[in-house]
Amino acid sequence: MRHRSNQFGKAIGILILALALTSASANAGVPTDQIKTTVDKALVVLNDPRLKPPARLKERRDQLRQILFARFDFTEMAKRALGANWRRRTPQEQEEFVRLFTDVLERAYAEIIESYSDEKITYIYERIDGTYADVSSKILTSKGDEYSINYKAHLVSNEWKVYDVVAENISLVNNYRSQFNRVIANGSYEELVRRLKDKAEFTGAPKK
């Protein structure tokens, strides 16, 4: 299952870099165009020699967070990850859960995007259905492994926001929901919150 976990982690990192590398960008639609703008800004930070020393790690990640996390709809992701339990929470609890879930994803992606090395991306299709879009791609790693990545986005105030990443037909959000539901069923929502606050819990990509 470690291979599957690495795929999820790489999926988050690939979102940051994919559109800058694909040869199919000429056929891209509006969702791709908007993400590419974000990617171009991120690449400036990643390639800035002044930010490469270990002493500048926090500054580099802070800049990437500001640029890249604007492309994720964390409220929607958190809502879907919590599932039916979302409606049972107060507005204050929902706000706290979004923050905690965002922290989980940040820990999952932070080191991955900085370890990027020669992955090749081919876009299969981009499908838009009203205010929803799917962007499907195949990733070829430097080791010759190939796997599929599908980005799900929706339109929010003229911006396409990613609300799920599907690696090899396995949803990132659905996997977190399975974990969260299990914790709540075996304990309580309060137990889930406690574990989310524990920096050692839910690190990296979710497992089946």
Side-chain angles (χ1 to χ4, degrees):
M1 294 310 302
R2 182 175 179 78
H3 179 63
R4 287 293 178 113
S5 294
N6 289 340
Q7 287 177 348
F8 275 111
K10 186 64 70 177
I12 298 174
I14 289 298
L15 174 64
I16 295 163
L17 296 168
L19 297 172
L21 300 171
T22 179
S23 61
S25 60
N27 298 323
V30 175
T32 299
D33 290 342
Q34 291 195 357
I35 294 176
K36 188 178 186 305
T37 298
T38 300
V39 170
D40 290 343
K41 294 178 181 178
L43 288 173
V44 171
V45 174
L46 287 171
N47 294 323
D48 188 343
R50 296 171 300 177
L51 296 175
K52 289 184 180 297
R56 305 291 293 276
L57 176 63
K58 184 180 184 302
E59 181 181 353
R60 182 170 70 246
R61 289 185 176 177
D62 285 345
Q63 290 190 28
L64 287 171
R65 184 188 306 110
Q66 293 175 18
I67 294 169
L68 300 170
F69 274 38
R71 189 54 55 193
F72 286 85
D73 186 345
F74 286 109
T75 298
E76 185 66 19
M77 294 179 78
K79 180 179 179 180
R80 289 170 180 260
L82 197 55
N85 288 289
W86 176 266
R87 296 190 298 272
R88 304 186 184 109
R89 313 282 33 114
T90 67
Q92 293 76 19
E93 289 174 327
Q94 291 174 350
E95 182 178 354
E96 179 187 40
F97 183 79
V98 171
R99 177 178 56 79
L100 292 172
F101 185 64
T102 301
D103 288 345
V104 167
L105 290 183
E106 180 180 349
R107 294 198 300 271
Y109 97 92
E111 295 183 0
I112 294 165
I113 64 172
E114 292 161 343
S115 64
Y116 170 79
S117 60
D118 298 327
E119 279 79 4
K120 305 301 180 184
I121 300 94
T122 302
Y123 276 82
I124 309 303
Y125 66 82
E126 179 185 87
R127 183 177 62 222
I128 300 176
D129 183 8
T131 58
Y132 289 86
D134 286 345
V135 178
S136 178
S137 66
K138 284 189 177 295
I139 312 301
L140 180 65
T141 72
S142 57
K143 296 181 180 179
D145 297 323
E146 184 179 281
Y147 52 93
S148 64
I149 300 293
N150 183 35
Y151 303 106
K152 294 184 174 295
H154 66 156
L155 196 60
V156 180
S157 300
N158 297 319
E159 291 285 335
W160 288 96
K161 302 282 191 175
V162 173
Y163 65 85
D164 197 7
V165 181
V166 181
E168 292 291 283
N169 298 315
I170 301 176
S171 162
L172 182 73
V173 167
N174 288 350
N175 268 263
Y176 274 120
R177 183 164 61 241
S178 295
Q179 291 188 88
F180 296 163
N181 284 344
R182 187 161 52 247
V183 173
I184 293 172
N186 294 333
S188 64
Y189 176 76
E190 289 70 25
E191 172 66 11
L192 174 62
V193 169
R194 186 194 67 76
R195 293 177 64 176
L196 285 169
K197 290 179 178 178
D198 183 347
K199 300 302 183 182
E201 291 276 358
F202 303 113
T203 57
K207 299 177 178 61
K208 288 183 68 179

